[in-house]
Amino acid sequence: MKKLLAALLVCAVTVVSAAAYEMKGAYYFGPYSGYKAFDDKSDLKNDVEAGLKLGYFITEHWAAELSGGYADAEYDSKSGSEDVFTPGLHAVYHFRPAMDRALLPFLQAGIEARIADDTDTGLAVGGGLKYLFTKNFGGDVSFKNIYFGEGKHDQLMAVSLAYFFGVKEKAAVKAAEPAPAAVAAAPVEEPAPMAAAVADEKKEAAAVVAAPVDSDGDGVYDDEDQCPGTPMGYSVNEKGCFKSMKLLINFANNSDVIDAAGMAKIQEFADFMKATPVLNVEIQGHTDSKGSDAYNQKLSEKRAKAVAAALVKQGVESGRITSKGYGETKPVASNDTVEGRAENRRIEAVAVDADGDKVKSQKPE
């Protein structure tokens, strides 16, 4: 256990990330396991505790976290063992160091119970180090002390893994390097026309043209981008405004049920729509060519409607969303290969005008 904790800590402090993660509104869940040290008065031997954690970031720094653990602890003074349950509720404060916004040292405090033959409830305080290896996957190492009163303490040193939803990512923009200082030349008396020409040449040599910057990575430079901040991977027009995006959702066979990974993608797009109130979209369903035309048409309509309903549930106004199924009529890859069919089974969100009958890019405010 100590080796595992040390390995995760080394990874957390040595991995360098260029991502700037925004945590407000994100939530996470995942398993944990650790070494549980019971108080001497509990008549229980130290053991391994395992459980689950579920958390939600209320702000960029503060999160609320539920946890539930279990240990099968042997008695200290007799044979046999005891089932021990440890539910808890904690407030967690995360520090956000500027050097790496994926690194989240934290402190926590809350209440935690130890349920065995009898129940003790105590104050839990501790801290640790959380790290996001990607915007959807992270882990932490932690230590906490649970004080039950009358001099009774339990401790837990643990390592956990977590899957994150709703984390927003901003690409880091490298600052332009300052222009080199101009070297002053000694004045030289020259005929007026020649002096003017030399002066013009000096001005041209001293002029520094800043390298074009594309902050949001959409292929349109900032000085021409009328819709800055478009997320990476979205298709835009020549003005940098949204045209369309693909949602590759792994629907089960003959099903329009959206899995957890698909819901995370839908939530990200819903956040973008809420931040872009002029945008109206048509949710388009597409299938591969396996099955009959009629079957594929109906299935694509069901899945498009399911994604549109999920966007509305995430807070997007229903009047801004329409849905339509296209069946197998618009493939983007060959249906003769497994990979091509997977690309063709997709949902696309396409910008439309206010009437919904003409596809075009949204206009900036």
Side-chain angles (χ1 to χ4, degrees), residues 248-269:
L248 296 176
I249 298 175
N250 294 320
F251 291 100
N253 186 39
N254 193 28
S255 171
D256 60 354
V257 177
I258 303 168
D259 62 10
M263 285 301 301
K265 298 174 185 177
I266 290 172
Q267 184 179 27
E268 289 183 13
F269 186 64

Side-chain angles (χ1 to χ4, degrees), residues 85-110:
F85 299 92
T86 58
L89 174 63
H90 309 88
V92 187
Y93 182 84
H94 298 82
F95 299 92
R96 305 301 308 277
M99 65 178 181
D100 190 345
R101 300 287 282 179
L103 182 67
L104 304 173
F106 63 87
L107 298 174
Q108 66 180 103

Side-chain angles (χ1 to χ4, degrees), residues 11-31:
C11 290
V13 299
T14 57
V15 175
V16 178
S17 171
Y21 293 119
E22 296 182 5
M23 304 303 298
K24 182 179 179 181
Y27 57 98
Y28 60 92
F29 73 93

